[in-house]
Amino acid sequence: MEENIEIARSLITKWDSNKSPHAEIAPLFSGNRQEAKNYLSAVKGLQTAMRYLVTLDSNSPGLVQAQLLMQVALKRLKKEFYQILSSNRDHLDPESVSTRSSTEHRSSVSDFDDDFSEDESRSVTDNSISETERVSMVVMEDLKDIAECMISVGYGKECLKIYTLMRKSIVDEAMYHLGVEKLTFSQVQKMEWEVVELKIKYWLKAIKVAVTTLFYGERILCDLVFASSERIAESCFPEICRESAMSLFGFPELVAKCKKTPEKMFRTLDLYEAISDNWPQIESIFSYESTSSIRLQAVNSLVKLGEAVRTMLSDFESAIQKDNSKKPVPGGGTHPLTRYVMNYISFLSDYSDVLADIVADWPLTIQSPLPESYFVSSGDDNNPSSEISVRLAWLILVVLCKLDGKAELYKDTALSYLFLANNLQYVVSKVRASNLRFLIGEDWLIKHESKVKEYVSKYERMGWNKVLSSLPENPTAEMAAEQVWACFRNFNAEFSETCMKQSSWIVSDAKLRDEIKASILSKLLTRYGEFYEKHRVESRRVLGPDSVMRISPEDLAGYLSDILCGTGDSGSVSSSSHRSNRS
């Protein structure tokens, strides 16, 4: 015991800044590494001696001297611990720490010979790590050794206090630079949505860095430094991260509690998705019982965000149902309600996985169930029926039903069918071009593409019936010159009037527009072409060259080129005066 005390006395005195100028200038752990380890061993040996002396005589002069030595030694170790933490911030940044596990750290450090000085150890090159990483590992090992020594001699609280103070400042500073603020619900509630949205953007970047790097790195470092005491590590880590973590994971809950409006849906889903994606790591990093409040805050935010999404989905459906705009769209074009709803739903489909999780225990309640064939391809193993598929299909059905009512606002029946064709074509195009295609299924698309053709067929029959009826059923039948003249005259009048009227009508989809024109031209050529060729020669002989035969079959395509482009004046929509409500 006396030998232990003497060994300790020589080393502790040598590094006592009050008695050695060298100790005032040079840090113990920056020079000969073996001497640093000897110092720690001497302190532990001194503690062993003190325990022995207590059993012999608690008032012995030797024990008093040993206690005084221990106070000097611990003062030195506290100073060393603080200096290492403060002067190696770059080597202990969470990003560097989080790139490797504590196991990798310990095995790598053990590769360095204990007899090497720091300068000598720099010459040992491990090609698998950089010089910065190597220094970082040495620094962490020094902190671990000092902490272990201080804990072993009963001064763990002093070590913990220094460590917590230093590392918390680093975490707080990092969160500040990430744009994470400690906000109250009142503050968030008073903000304009544009401001909240900007904060959400910062938050989405921050959570990834915080979870995968900042908190993860701090947990690894804390577990490593205090490896000798799980109790201290468990009390240390929450003190460092709790305030920042609670602010980070609490922000989404504040957003979720604010007033729900449709434009907030997608940012709310972004927040939900971010927490959900990072949850495994959140649960792992904050696995201590002492960090249960942090886990609970993340879960609470997830729950509140899910509730907000469900509320907004219900409100969105209700808004579609309540739409009562009474002004027909000029030319039978795509209704603003159709564009808004389908753009919204197609964006929702990009969040299908998140939405599926949110609506999993929230079944859709409708008066009559949707047939399975309505929303999912039969026999498609890669596209199983799901709650979100049903819900999105239902929203589309709701808007289609509203469009049926809006079609009745048109006085011209043909225009009403063109309106339905336009809008259903827009719906089908949006479904086919988005993730909705996989959610709702190919059978749905085929069925509704067929419905578009049905609407087009009814438009053609109603819109061009008078033109075709102006010609005889049998265009090649023998007719008197007066009858031929009357047919040409009627055809010219009906054809010109129909083209003029439909020049103000519109088909927004270029491919569909071309198909409709081709179909109309084909029907006209079949009857008018035969009639024209049959009576062309005789009519010119009897009626003269400047007769009513001014439109040749070759001219039909040119006349039809002006229809369905929305360029003329519409006189075919209801002229009733109705207040226009926003769709």
Side-chain angles (χ1 to χ4, degrees), residues 363-435:
L364 180 65
T365 304
I366 52 178
Q367 292 181 347
S368 60
L370 286 173
E372 184 178 354
S373 60
Y374 179 79
F375 62 87
V376 67
S377 295
S378 57
D380 187 352
D381 295 334
N382 295 321
N383 185 26
S385 173
S386 66
E387 285 293 334
I388 192 58
S389 297
V390 174
R391 193 167 292 276
L392 295 182
W394 167 250
L395 288 174
I396 293 175
L397 182 58
V398 170
V399 75
L400 290 179
C401 290
K402 293 296 293 186
L403 292 170
D404 285 341
K406 294 182 184 300
E408 297 175 1
L409 297 172
Y410 294 93
K411 286 183 176 181
D412 193 307
T413 306
L415 184 56
S416 70
Y417 282 119
L418 188 66
F419 169 80
L420 290 172
N422 268 319
N423 284 269
L424 185 54
Q425 177 65 21
Y426 186 86
V427 170
V428 168
S429 297
K430 277 293 180 181
V431 171
R432 188 168 286 285
S434 68
N435 199 38

Coordinates of all heavy atoms in Angstrom, one line a residue, residues 363-435:
P363 N -61.9 2.5 -41.8 CA -62.7 2.1 -42.9 C -63.6 3.1 -43.5 O -64.1 3.9 -42.8 CB -63.4 0.8 -42.4 CG -63.6 1.1 -41.0 CD -62.3 1.8 -40.5
L364 N -63.7 3.1 -44.8 CA -64.6 4.0 -45.5 C -66.1 3.7 -45.2 O -66.4 2.5 -45.4 CB -64.3 4.0 -47.0 CG -65.1 5.0 -47.9 CD1 -64.8 6.4 -47.5 CD2 -64.8 4.7 -49.4
T365 N -66.9 4.6 -44.8 CA -68.3 4.4 -44.6 C -69.1 5.1 -45.7 O -69.2 6.3 -45.8 CB -68.7 5.0 -43.2 OG1 -67.8 4.4 -42.2 CG2 -70.1 4.6 -42.9
I366 N -69.7 4.2 -46.5 CA -70.6 4.7 -47.6 C -71.9 3.9 -47.5 O -72.0 2.9 -46.9 CB -70.0 4.6 -49.0 CG1 -69.4 3.2 -49.2 CG2 -68.8 5.6 -49.1 CD1 -68.8 3.1 -50.6
Q367 N -72.9 4.5 -48.2 CA -74.2 3.8 -48.1 C -74.2 2.5 -48.8 O -74.9 1.5 -48.3 CB -75.3 4.8 -48.8 CG -75.5 6.0 -48.0 CD -76.6 6.9 -48.6 OE1 -77.0 6.7 -49.8 NE2 -77.1 7.9 -47.9
S368 N -73.5 2.4 -49.9 CA -73.5 1.1 -50.6 C -72.0 0.8 -50.9 O -71.3 1.7 -51.4 CB -74.3 1.1 -51.8 OG -73.9 2.1 -52.7
P369 N -71.6 -0.4 -50.7 CA -70.2 -0.8 -51.0 C -69.8 -0.7 -52.5 O -70.7 -0.9 -53.4 CB -70.0 -2.2 -50.5 CG -71.4 -2.8 -50.6 CD -72.3 -1.6 -50.3
L370 N -68.6 -0.3 -52.8 CA -68.1 -0.2 -54.2 C -67.9 -1.6 -54.7 O -67.3 -2.4 -53.9 CB -66.9 0.6 -54.3 CG -67.0 2.1 -54.2 CD1 -65.6 2.7 -54.1 CD2 -67.7 2.7 -55.3
P371 N -68.3 -2.0 -55.9 CA -67.9 -3.3 -56.4 C -66.4 -3.4 -56.6 O -65.7 -2.4 -56.9 CB -68.6 -3.3 -57.8 CG -68.8 -1.9 -58.1 CD -69.0 -1.2 -56.8
E372 N -65.8 -4.5 -56.3 CA -64.4 -4.7 -56.4 C -63.9 -4.3 -57.8 O -62.8 -3.7 -57.9 CB -64.0 -6.1 -56.0 CG -62.5 -6.3 -56.0 CD -62.1 -7.7 -55.6 OE1 -63.0 -8.5 -55.2 OE2 -60.9 -8.0 -55.7
S373 N -64.6 -4.6 -58.8 CA -64.2 -4.4 -60.2 C -64.0 -2.9 -60.4 O -63.4 -2.5 -61.4 CB -65.2 -5.0 -61.2 OG -66.5 -4.4 -61.0
Y374 N -64.7 -2.0 -59.6 CA -64.6 -0.6 -59.8 C -63.2 0.0 -59.6 O -62.8 0.9 -60.2 CB -65.6 0.1 -58.9 CG -65.6 1.6 -59.1 CD1 -66.2 2.2 -60.2 CD2 -64.9 2.5 -58.2 CE1 -66.1 3.6 -60.4 CE2 -64.8 3.8 -58.4 CZ -65.4 4.4 -59.5 OH -65.3 5.7 -59.7
F375 N -62.5 -0.6 -58.6 CA -61.2 0.1 -58.2 C -60.0 -0.8 -58.3 O -58.9 -0.3 -58.0 CB -61.4 0.6 -56.8 CG -61.6 -0.5 -55.7 CD1 -60.5 -1.1 -55.2 CD2 -62.9 -0.9 -55.4 CE1 -60.8 -2.1 -54.2 CE2 -63.1 -1.9 -54.4 CZ -62.0 -2.5 -53.9
V376 N -60.1 -2.1 -58.6 CA -58.9 -2.9 -58.6 C -58.9 -3.9 -59.7 O -60.0 -4.4 -60.1 CB -58.7 -3.6 -57.3 CG1 -59.8 -4.6 -57.0 CG2 -57.3 -4.2 -57.2
S377 N -57.8 -4.1 -60.4 CA -57.7 -5.1 -61.4 C -57.9 -6.5 -60.9 O -57.1 -6.9 -59.9 CB -56.3 -5.0 -62.1 OG -56.2 -3.7 -62.8
S378 N -58.8 -7.3 -61.4 CA -59.0 -8.6 -60.9 C -57.8 -9.5 -61.3 O -57.3 -9.4 -62.4 CB -60.3 -9.2 -61.5 OG -60.2 -9.2 -62.9
G379 N -57.3 -10.3 -60.4 CA -56.2 -11.2 -60.7 C -54.9 -10.6 -60.7 O -53.9 -11.2 -61.1
D380 N -54.8 -9.3 -60.3 CA -53.5 -8.7 -60.3 C -52.9 -8.8 -58.9 O -53.2 -8.1 -58.0 CB -53.7 -7.2 -60.7 CG -52.3 -6.5 -60.8 OD1 -51.3 -7.1 -60.5 OD2 -52.3 -5.3 -61.3
D381 N -51.9 -9.7 -58.8 CA -51.3 -10.0 -57.5 C -50.5 -8.9 -57.0 O -50.3 -8.7 -55.8 CB -50.5 -11.3 -57.5 CG -51.4 -12.5 -57.8 OD1 -52.6 -12.5 -57.5 OD2 -50.8 -13.5 -58.4
N382 N -50.0 -8.0 -57.9 CA -49.1 -6.9 -57.5 C -49.9 -5.7 -57.1 O -49.4 -4.7 -56.7 CB -48.2 -6.6 -58.7 CG -47.2 -7.7 -59.0 OD1 -46.7 -8.4 -58.0 ND2 -46.9 -7.9 -60.2
N383 N -51.3 -5.8 -57.2 CA -52.1 -4.6 -56.9 C -53.3 -5.0 -56.1 O -54.4 -5.0 -56.5 CB -52.5 -3.9 -58.2 CG -53.3 -2.6 -57.9 OD1 -53.1 -2.0 -56.9 ND2 -54.2 -2.3 -58.8
P384 N -53.0 -5.5 -54.9 CA -54.1 -6.0 -54.0 C -55.0 -4.9 -53.6 O -54.6 -3.7 -53.5 CB -53.4 -6.6 -52.8 CG -52.1 -5.9 -52.8 CD -51.7 -5.6 -54.2
S385 N -56.3 -5.2 -53.3 CA -57.2 -4.2 -52.8 C -56.7 -3.7 -51.4 O -56.2 -4.4 -50.6 CB -58.6 -4.9 -52.6 OG -59.5 -4.0 -52.0
S386 N -56.9 -2.4 -51.2 CA -56.5 -1.9 -49.9 C -57.4 -0.7 -49.6 O -58.2 -0.2 -50.4 CB -55.0 -1.3 -50.1 OG -55.0 -0.2 -51.0
E387 N -57.3 -0.3 -48.3 CA -58.2 0.8 -47.9 C -57.9 2.0 -48.7 O -58.9 2.8 -49.0 CB -57.9 1.0 -46.4 CG -58.5 0.0 -45.5 CD -60.0 0.0 -45.5 OE1 -60.6 1.0 -45.8 OE2 -60.6 -1.1 -45.2
I388 N -56.7 2.3 -49.0 CA -56.4 3.5 -49.7 C -56.9 3.5 -51.1 O -57.3 4.5 -51.7 CB -54.9 3.9 -49.6 CG1 -54.6 5.3 -50.1 CG2 -54.0 2.9 -50.4 CD1 -55.4 6.4 -49.3
S389 N -56.8 2.3 -51.8 CA -57.3 2.1 -53.1 C -58.8 2.4 -53.2 O -59.3 3.1 -54.0 CB -57.1 0.7 -53.6 OG -55.7 0.4 -53.7
V390 N -59.5 1.8 -52.2 CA -61.0 2.0 -52.1 C -61.3 3.5 -51.9 O -62.2 4.1 -52.5 CB -61.6 1.2 -51.0 CG1 -63.1 1.5 -50.8 CG2 -61.4 -0.3 -51.2
R391 N -60.5 4.1 -51.0 CA -60.8 5.5 -50.6 C -60.6 6.5 -51.8 O -61.4 7.4 -52.1 CB -60.0 6.0 -49.4 CG -60.4 7.3 -48.8 CD -59.8 7.5 -47.5 NE -60.3 6.5 -46.5 CZ -61.4 6.6 -45.8 NH1 -62.1 7.7 -45.9 NH2 -61.7 5.7 -44.9
L392 N -59.5 6.3 -52.5 CA -59.2 7.2 -53.7 C -60.2 6.9 -54.8 O -60.6 7.8 -55.5 CB -57.8 7.0 -54.1 CG -56.7 7.4 -53.1 CD1 -55.3 7.1 -53.7 CD2 -56.8 8.8 -52.7
A393 N -60.5 5.6 -55.0 CA -61.5 5.3 -56.0 C -62.9 6.0 -55.7 O -63.6 6.4 -56.6 CB -61.7 3.8 -56.2
W394 N -63.2 6.0 -54.4 CA -64.4 6.6 -54.0 C -64.4 8.1 -54.2 O -65.4 8.6 -54.7 CB -64.6 6.3 -52.5 CG -65.7 7.1 -51.8 CD1 -65.6 8.1 -50.9 CD2 -67.1 7.0 -52.1 NE1 -66.8 8.6 -50.6 CE2 -67.8 8.0 -51.3 CE3 -67.9 6.2 -52.9 CZ2 -69.2 8.2 -51.3 CZ3 -69.3 6.4 -52.9 CH2 -69.9 7.3 -52.1
L395 N -63.3 8.7 -53.9 CA -63.2 10.2 -54.2 C -63.4 10.5 -55.7 O -64.1 11.5 -56.0 CB -61.9 10.7 -53.7 CG -61.7 10.8 -52.2 CD1 -60.2 11.2 -51.9 CD2 -62.6 11.8 -51.6
I396 N -62.9 9.7 -56.5 CA -63.1 9.9 -58.0 C -64.5 9.7 -58.3 O -65.1 10.4 -59.1 CB -62.2 8.9 -58.8 CG1 -60.7 9.2 -58.6 CG2 -62.5 9.0 -60.3 CD1 -59.7 8.3 -59.2
L397 N -65.2 8.7 -57.8 CA -66.6 8.4 -58.0 C -67.4 9.6 -57.6 O -68.4 10.0 -58.3 CB -67.0 7.2 -57.3 CG -68.5 6.7 -57.6 CD1 -68.8 6.5 -59.1 CD2 -68.8 5.5 -56.8
V398 N -67.1 10.2 -56.5 CA -67.8 11.4 -55.9 C -67.7 12.5 -56.9 O -68.8 13.1 -57.2 CB -67.2 11.8 -54.6 CG1 -67.8 13.2 -54.1 CG2 -67.5 10.8 -53.5
V399 N -66.6 12.8 -57.5 CA -66.4 13.9 -58.4 C -67.1 13.6 -59.7 O -67.7 14.5 -60.4 CB -65.0 14.3 -58.6 CG1 -64.2 13.3 -59.5 CG2 -64.9 15.7 -59.2
L400 N -67.1 12.3 -60.2 CA -67.8 12.0 -61.4 C -69.3 12.1 -61.2 O -70.0 12.6 -62.2 CB -67.4 10.5 -61.8 CG -66.0 10.2 -62.2 CD1 -65.8 8.8 -62.6 CD2 -65.7 11.1 -63.5
C401 N -69.8 11.8 -60.1 CA -71.2 12.0 -59.8 C -71.6 13.5 -59.9 O -72.7 13.9 -60.4 CB -71.6 11.4 -58.5 SG -71.6 9.6 -58.5
K402 N -70.7 14.3 -59.3 CA -71.0 15.8 -59.4 C -70.9 16.3 -60.8 O -71.7 17.2 -61.2 CB -69.9 16.5 -58.6 CG -69.9 16.3 -57.1 CD -71.2 16.8 -56.4 CE -71.3 18.3 -56.5 NZ -72.5 18.8 -55.7
L403 N -70.1 15.7 -61.6 CA -70.0 16.1 -63.0 C -71.3 15.7 -63.8 O -71.7 16.5 -64.7 CB -68.8 15.5 -63.7 CG -67.4 16.0 -63.2 CD1 -66.3 15.2 -63.7 CD2 -67.2 17.5 -63.6
D404 N -71.9 14.6 -63.4 CA -73.1 14.2 -64.1 C -74.2 15.3 -63.9 O -74.9 15.7 -64.8 CB -73.6 12.9 -63.5 CG -72.8 11.7 -64.0 OD1 -72.2 11.9 -65.0 OD2 -72.9 10.6 -63.4
G405 N -74.2 15.9 -62.7 CA -75.1 17.0 -62.4 C -74.8 18.2 -63.1 O -75.7 18.9 -63.6
K406 N -73.5 18.5 -63.3 CA -73.1 19.7 -64.0 C -73.4 19.6 -65.5 O -73.5 20.7 -66.1 CB -71.6 20.0 -63.7 CG -71.4 20.4 -62.2 CD -70.0 20.7 -61.9 CE -69.7 20.9 -60.4 NZ -70.5 22.0 -59.9
A407 N -73.4 18.4 -66.0 CA -73.7 18.3 -67.4 C -75.1 18.7 -67.8 O -75.4 19.1 -68.9 CB -73.5 16.8 -67.8
E408 N -76.0 18.6 -66.8 CA -77.4 19.0 -67.0 C -77.6 20.5 -67.1 O -78.7 21.0 -67.5 CB -78.2 18.5 -65.8 CG -78.2 16.9 -65.7 CD -79.0 16.4 -64.5 OE1 -79.5 17.3 -63.8 OE2 -79.1 15.2 -64.3
L409 N -76.5 21.3 -66.8 CA -76.6 22.7 -67.0 C -76.6 23.2 -68.4 O -77.0 24.3 -68.7 CB -75.5 23.4 -66.2 CG -75.4 23.2 -64.7 CD1 -74.1 23.7 -64.2 CD2 -76.6 23.8 -64.0
Y410 N -76.2 22.3 -69.3 CA -76.1 22.7 -70.8 C -77.5 22.4 -71.4 O -78.1 21.4 -71.3 CB -75.1 21.8 -71.5 CG -73.7 22.1 -71.0 CD1 -73.1 21.4 -70.0 CD2 -72.9 23.2 -71.6 CE1 -71.8 21.7 -69.5 CE2 -71.6 23.4 -71.1 CZ -71.1 22.7 -70.1 OH -69.8 23.0 -69.6
K411 N -77.9 23.4 -72.2 CA -79.2 23.3 -73.0 C -79.0 22.3 -74.1 O -79.9 21.6 -74.5 CB -79.6 24.6 -73.5 CG -80.2 25.6 -72.4 CD -80.7 26.9 -73.1 CE -81.4 27.7 -72.1 NZ -81.9 29.0 -72.7
D412 N -77.8 22.3 -74.7 CA -77.6 21.5 -75.9 C -77.1 20.1 -75.4 O -76.1 20.0 -74.7 CB -76.5 22.1 -76.7 CG -76.3 21.4 -78.1 OD1 -76.2 20.2 -78.1 OD2 -76.3 22.1 -79.1
T413 N -77.9 19.1 -75.7 CA -77.6 17.7 -75.2 C -76.3 17.2 -75.7 O -75.5 16.6 -75.0 CB -78.7 16.7 -75.6 OG1 -80.0 17.2 -75.2 CG2 -78.5 15.4 -75.0
A414 N -75.9 17.5 -77.0 CA -74.7 17.1 -77.5 C -73.5 17.7 -76.7 O -72.5 17.0 -76.5 CB -74.6 17.5 -79.0
L415 N -73.6 19.0 -76.4 CA -72.6 19.6 -75.6 C -72.5 19.0 -74.2 O -71.3 18.9 -73.7 CB -72.9 21.1 -75.5 CG -71.8 22.0 -74.8 CD1 -70.5 21.8 -75.5 CD2 -72.3 23.5 -74.9
S416 N -73.6 18.6 -73.6 CA -73.5 18.0 -72.3 C -72.7 16.7 -72.4 O -71.9 16.4 -71.5 CB -74.9 17.7 -71.8 OG -75.6 16.7 -72.5
Y417 N -72.9 15.9 -73.4 CA -72.1 14.7 -73.6 C -70.6 15.0 -73.9 O -69.7 14.2 -73.4 CB -72.7 13.8 -74.7 CG -73.9 13.1 -74.2 CD1 -75.2 13.2 -74.9 CD2 -73.9 12.1 -73.2 CE1 -76.3 12.6 -74.5 CE2 -75.0 11.5 -72.8 CZ -76.2 11.7 -73.4 OH -77.3 11.0 -73.0
L418 N -70.4 16.0 -74.6 CA -69.0 16.4 -74.9 C -68.3 16.8 -73.6 O -67.2 16.5 -73.3 CB -69.0 17.6 -75.9 CG -67.6 17.9 -76.4 CD1 -67.0 16.8 -77.2 CD2 -67.6 19.2 -77.2
F419 N -69.1 17.5 -72.7 CA -68.6 17.9 -71.4 C -68.2 16.7 -70.6 O -67.1 16.6 -70.0 CB -69.6 18.8 -70.7 CG -69.4 19.0 -69.2 CD1 -68.5 20.0 -68.8 CD2 -70.0 18.2 -68.3 CE1 -68.2 20.2 -67.5 CE2 -69.7 18.5 -66.9 CZ -68.9 19.4 -66.5
L420 N -69.1 15.7 -70.6 CA -68.8 14.5 -69.8 C -67.6 13.7 -70.4 O -66.7 13.2 -69.6 CB -70.0 13.6 -69.9 CG -71.2 14.1 -69.0 CD1 -72.4 13.2 -69.3 CD2 -70.9 14.1 -67.5
A421 N -67.5 13.7 -71.7 CA -66.3 13.1 -72.4 C -65.0 13.8 -72.0 O -64.0 13.1 -71.7 CB -66.5 13.0 -73.9
N422 N -65.0 15.1 -72.1 CA -63.9 15.9 -71.7 C -63.4 15.6 -70.3 O -62.2 15.4 -70.1 CB -64.2 17.4 -71.9 CG -63.8 17.9 -73.2 OD1 -62.8 17.6 -73.8 ND2 -64.7 18.8 -73.8
N423 N -64.3 15.7 -69.4 CA -64.0 15.5 -68.0 C -63.6 14.1 -67.6 O -62.6 13.9 -66.9 CB -65.1 16.0 -67.1 CG -65.2 17.6 -67.1 OD1 -64.6 18.2 -66.2 ND2 -65.9 18.1 -68.0
L424 N -64.3 13.1 -68.1 CA -63.9 11.8 -67.9 C -62.5 11.4 -68.5 O -61.7 10.7 -67.9 CB -64.9 10.8 -68.3 CG -64.7 9.3 -68.0 CD1 -64.5 9.1 -66.5 CD2 -65.9 8.4 -68.5
Q425 N -62.3 12.0 -69.7 CA -61.0 11.8 -70.3 C -59.8 12.4 -69.5 O -58.8 11.8 -69.3 CB -61.0 12.5 -71.7 CG -59.6 12.4 -72.5 CD -59.2 11.0 -72.8 OE1 -60.0 10.1 -72.8 NE2 -57.9 10.8 -73.0
Y426 N -60.1 13.6 -68.9 CA -59.1 14.2 -68.0 C -58.8 13.3 -66.8 O -57.7 13.1 -66.4 CB -59.6 15.6 -67.5 CG -58.6 16.3 -66.7 CD1 -57.6 17.1 -67.4 CD2 -58.5 16.3 -65.4 CE1 -56.7 17.8 -66.7 CE2 -57.6 17.0 -64.6 CZ -56.7 17.7 -65.3 OH -55.7 18.4 -64.6
V427 N -59.9 12.8 -66.2 CA -59.8 11.9 -65.1 C -59.0 10.6 -65.4 O -58.1 10.2 -64.7 CB -61.2 11.4 -64.6 CG1 -61.1 10.3 -63.5 CG2 -62.0 12.6 -64.0
V428 N -59.3 10.0 -66.6 CA -58.6 8.8 -67.0 C -57.1 9.1 -67.3 O -56.3 8.3 -66.9 CB -59.3 8.2 -68.3 CG1 -58.4 7.2 -68.9 CG2 -60.7 7.6 -67.9
S429 N -56.9 10.2 -67.9 CA -55.5 10.6 -68.2 C -54.7 10.8 -66.9 O -53.5 10.4 -66.8 CB -55.4 11.9 -69.0 OG -56.1 11.7 -70.3
K430 N -55.3 11.4 -65.9 CA -54.6 11.6 -64.6 C -54.3 10.3 -63.9 O -53.3 10.1 -63.3 CB -55.4 12.5 -63.7 CG -55.3 14.0 -64.0 CD -53.8 14.4 -63.6 CE -53.6 15.9 -63.9 NZ -52.2 16.3 -63.6
V431 N -55.3 9.4 -64.0 CA -55.1 8.1 -63.4 C -54.0 7.3 -64.0 O -53.1 6.8 -63.4 CB -56.4 7.3 -63.4 CG1 -56.2 5.8 -62.9 CG2 -57.5 7.9 -62.5
R432 N -54.0 7.3 -65.4 CA -53.0 6.5 -66.1 C -51.6 7.1 -66.0 O -50.6 6.4 -66.0 CB -53.4 6.5 -67.6 CG -52.5 5.5 -68.4 CD -53.1 5.3 -69.8 NE -54.2 4.4 -69.8 CZ -54.2 3.1 -69.6 NH1 -53.0 2.5 -69.4 NH2 -55.3 2.3 -69.7
A433 N -51.5 8.4 -65.8 CA -50.2 9.1 -65.7 C -49.6 9.1 -64.3 O -48.5 9.6 -64.1 CB -50.3 10.5 -66.3
S434 N -50.3 8.6 -63.3 CA -49.9 8.7 -61.9 C -49.9 7.4 -61.3 O -50.2 6.4 -61.9 CB -50.8 9.7 -61.2 OG -52.1 9.1 -61.0
N435 N -49.5 7.4 -60.0 CA -49.5 6.2 -59.2 C -50.9 5.6 -59.0 O -51.0 4.4 -58.6 CB -48.9 6.5 -57.8 CG -48.4 5.2 -57.1 OD1 -47.9 4.3 -57.7 ND2 -48.6 5.2 -55.8

